[in-house]
Amino acid sequence: MTLIRVFTALFALLSSTVLAVTPIKVEGSQFINAATKKRFQIIGVDYQPGGASAYNEENKSDPLSDGDICLRDAALLQRLGVNTIRIYNLNPGLNHDLCVSIFNAAGIYLILDVNSPIAHESLNRVEPWTTYHKGYMERVFGVIEAFKDYPNVLAFFGGNEVINEDAVKQVPAYIRAVQRDMKQYIANHSPRPIPVGYSAADIRDILADTWAYFSCNIEDDPDSISDFFGLNSYSWCGDATFESAGYNTLVDQFKDTTLPVFFSEYGCNEVQPRIFTEVAALYGKQMVSAMGGGLIYEYSQEDNDYGIVELHENNTATTMIDYDNLMEQYSKIDIALLESVDQAGATKKPVKCTPDLIKDDKFFENDFKIPPPTEGIPDMIKNGISSPNKGKLVEVKETNVKFDVFNKDGRKLEGLQIKILEDFQSNLPGENTSGAPGEPDFGSEDKEDAATSLSRSNVLSLLAIGAGATLLML
Ligand SMILES: *[C@@H]1O[C@H](CO)[C@@H](O)[C@H](O)[C@H]1NC(C)=O
Ligand SMILES: *[C@@H]1O[C@H](CO)[C@@H](O)[C@H](O)[C@H]1NC(C)=O
Ligand SMILES: *[C@@H]1O[C@H](CO)[C@@H](O)[C@H](O)[C@H]1NC(C)=O
């Protein structure tokens, strides 16, 4: 008892220091940890509790504004083994200090989208010139201001799936214009460079041109180039293979990449439950020089059925079988391979933009003329936006999760907490940080029957799936 008290006191003491992850920088085709000089590959999950529609005119609270909820989710994500989350919709006016500090303490980086579904908070793909104005860029710069001072902000997405079959061919130039303005704003007002890039839909017909368009250098508009390239890819479903999922063609396409490429979303849900065998391929020898990891879509279970954790209204949560399956796949990642720098890739330089890079000019102008900033934007880039809301790391004093979390069998995850990592460390899979499943908790006698039959039916369906899989393998 006394010993436990001493340890608790010691832990409280330790946890009151503000520790920080090391900022990540881009070198050629890779993300590199600036302190350890090791390669940083994204082991990530997309994080948008409430789904894309939760952020709207009425509800401008965002996924980084409630510390108790962030603590629960950071503990579950740390336990899972991720080192990065992506967040889509943020309100630059809110206080994010506690949430971002919690993720920082757990060794988890953030990739942040600067847009939102609200009108005038993203580019219009049909008439982009109507949305590229001072009001829109003020929001974009507001997001940069709100997050630039946190060390665990890995990158910003300037656009997500803006180019699709409906987009006019001027759209890519506007995306590059937004990237240019963001990078110039960061250069003038951020304490460190923060990479900026684009997240593309996996439309194989236009993928090569999309990549070529954003990854080449325009001599008289050098800031508009992407620093990295995100791909939302759902081609690996169930127990697919490297070939059947078309990962071989991705490797062909990206093996000589001059900037980091990663899956900004992946995790097809056509076969349920998901077994995530693509994780072994993505972090394995075949893909390691072409790809820099990826983010599983997505953390919370929503109507579209891509979740790995069910979040309940009373703030308790239940991890799904997909969570366990993903954790198991992550735990098999070869960390030495993951962290080893590909020296040839690290020195790669972008090619010059030339018309012949574009194969199909239906979706892309091949003249690489980027629209100049419209009225009011240059002044903000030079002098900053007025009265920005700026974030800063704070001490994380509370590490124990306040809400009960259960696993798929109804067993409570005991002692769920975030483990505060040392300076320079980021989270890694296979560490089992906290939350070992306790005894099955079926509560009072009248609940017992229901609970037992529930878990039995789960077991039965699992057995059925297992048998099915075995038959398939034979
Ligand atoms: C408001 O947004 C937050 C964060 O995105 C979400 O958790 C919450 O469920 C939303 N509330 C409503 C009423 O939609
Ligand atoms: C919280 O909500 C879940 C799902 O509705 C329910 O199963 C659980 O009993 C509730 N827990 C508490 C403490 O109210
Ligand atoms: C993690 O914990 C689970 C359950 O407590 C255990 O079965 C597993 O072996 C542990 N894994 C590691 C890598 O320690």
Side-chain angles (χ1 to χ4, degrees):
M1 194 66 182
T2 349
L3 248 182
I4 291 174
R5 285 228 184 87
V6 171
F7 274 116
T8 317
L10 250 176
F11 194 69
L13 202 73
L14 283 174
S15 57
S16 66
T17 340
V18 178
L19 299 167
V21 299
T22 314
I24 301 294
K25 53 183 191 169
V26 173
E27 280 182 16
S29 65
Q30 290 150 89
F31 288 116
I32 303 283
N33 180 311
T36 63
K37 312 282 184 226
K38 288 177 180 167
R39 183 175 182 186
F40 181 85
Q41 289 210 59
I42 294 167
I43 304 174
V45 170
D46 294 309
Y47 182 67
Q48 56 170 351
S53 57
Y55 191 80
N56 53 53
E57 265 324 327
E58 287 77 46
N59 181 11
K60 292 192 175 179
S61 74
D62 72 24
L64 295 178
S65 54
D66 184 330
D68 289 341
I69 291 186
C70 288
L71 185 59
R72 175 196 67 194
D73 296 342
L76 283 174
L77 287 158
Q78 188 182 40
R79 179 180 185 270
L80 177 65
V82 311
N83 61 20
T84 307
I85 55 175
R86 172 188 185 179
I87 300 157
Y88 295 82
N89 303 310
L90 290 158
N91 180 344
L94 299 176
N95 185 331
H96 305 109
D97 290 346
L98 185 54
C99 276
V100 177
S101 302
I102 286 169
F103 283 110
N104 168 71
I108 296 174
Y109 290 86
L110 314 175
I111 303 183
L112 307 173
D113 285 73
V114 297
N115 301 291
S116 102
I118 296 175
H120 300 290
E121 298 197 347
S122 66
L123 279 182
N124 177 320
R125 63 168 64 88
V126 185
E127 295 180 308
W129 47 89
T130 62
T131 40
Y132 179 53
H133 52 58
K134 181 173 185 244
Y136 166 56
M137 289 311 296
E138 194 168 8
R139 175 203 153 77
V140 171
F141 297 152
V143 176
I144 293 173
E145 285 286 358
F147 290 95
K148 68 185 168 49
D149 295 317
Y150 301 122
N152 59 328
V153 171
L154 171 58
F156 291 112
F157 277 123
N160 178 52
E161 301 195 358
V162 192
I163 305 164
N164 67 10
E165 291 87 346
D166 303 325
V168 296
K169 64 197 275 189
Q170 289 93 334
V171 161
Y174 278 90
I175 300 170
R176 278 193 73 139
V178 171
Q179 292 187 165
R180 171 199 60 212
D181 297 352
M182 288 175 67
K183 287 167 69 169
Q184 291 179 352
Y185 195 96
I186 290 168
N188 289 348
H189 304 289
S190 165
R192 66 180 170 97
I194 303 174
V196 173
Y198 177 66
S199 176
D202 189 0
I203 307 172
R204 292 286 164 109
D205 292 348
I206 57 174
L207 181 58
D209 282 348
T210 309
W211 185 75
Y213 193 89
F214 288 108
S215 64
C216 68
N217 187 38
I218 302 173
E219 257 161 28
D220 53 10
D221 211 328
D223 294 328
S224 67
I225 190 173
S226 290
D227 294 322
F228 59 86
F229 187 77
L231 176 64
N232 298 339
S233 173
Y234 292 91
S235 64
W236 186 301
C237 303
D239 197 11
T241 66
F242 192 70
E243 286 75 24
S244 73
Y247 277 25
N248 52 348
T249 61
L250 290 179
V251 168
D252 284 346
Q253 186 149 11
F254 295 122
K255 64 181 186 305
D256 296 319
T257 179
T258 51
L259 42 73
V261 181
F262 59 90
F263 287 145
S264 32
E265 293 175 3
Y266 74 112
C268 168
N269 69 351
E270 276 168 28
V271 182
Q272 303 256 16
R274 295 188 284 176
I275 50 174
F276 298 114
T277 43
E278 66 266 51
V279 166
L282 181 59
Y283 300 97
K285 286 202 177 73
Q286 278 173 303
M287 295 193 85
V288 80
S289 60
M291 301 282 300
L295 298 120
I296 288 289
Y297 190 83
E298 64 178 331
Y299 178 72
S300 57
Q301 176 71 334
E302 310 292 345
D303 292 344
N304 58 6
D305 209 13
Y306 280 93
I308 57 172
V309 177
E310 281 178 47
L311 305 177
H312 307 302
E313 266 178 36
N314 57 23
N315 292 332
T316 64
T318 310
T319 59
M320 301 164 63
I321 186 171
D322 294 34
Y323 175 97
D324 292 345
N325 290 348
L326 182 58
M327 188 170 172
E328 191 190 333
Q329 291 294 340
Y330 279 160
S331 72
K332 292 190 242 172
I333 293 175
D334 176 348
I335 303 296
L337 179 65
L338 187 87
E339 292 183 335
S340 59
V341 176
D342 171 5
Q343 296 300 344
T347 55
K348 290 241 165 72
K349 294 272 183 293
V351 301
K352 197 176 152 207
C353 295
T354 48
D356 62 300
L357 286 181
I358 302 301
K359 303 297 174 218
D360 177 357
D361 63 5
K362 191 161 148 246
F363 291 99
F364 297 87
E365 299 280 9
N366 63 9
D367 62 1
F368 295 98
K369 288 213 167 65
I370 309 304
T374 53
E375 200 188 332
I377 296 175
D379 180 61
M380 291 191 292
I381 292 174
K382 184 157 170 261
N383 300 311
I385 57 170
S386 58
S387 25
N389 173 39
K390 301 184 190 196
K392 62 167 190 325
L393 282 190
V394 294
E395 286 177 19
V396 176
K397 294 184 179 139
E398 184 56 62
T399 55
N400 294 315
V401 174
K402 290 199 176 125
F403 311 116
D404 286 346
V405 179
F406 299 89
N407 76 2
K408 62 178 196 312
D409 308 317
R411 295 168 69 186
K412 187 177 165 196
L413 303 186
E414 302 288 354
L416 190 63
Q417 58 173 210
I418 57 159
K419 178 180 160 203
I420 297 190
L421 302 186
E422 299 293 321
D423 263 333
F424 308 137
Q425 279 191 338
S426 55
N427 192 44
L428 284 173
E431 308 263 314
N432 255 5
T433 42
S434 71
E439 289 305 310
D441 173 22
F442 297 137
S444 60
E445 250 173 288
D446 51 328
K447 273 207 249 157
E448 198 164 12
D449 277 349
T452 315
S453 64
L454 181 74
S455 70
R456 279 214 193 106
S457 74
N458 282 348
V459 168
L460 279 180
S461 59
L462 276 177
L463 283 175
I465 290 160
T470 317
L471 277 179
L472 276 179
M473 276 158 61
L474 292 172

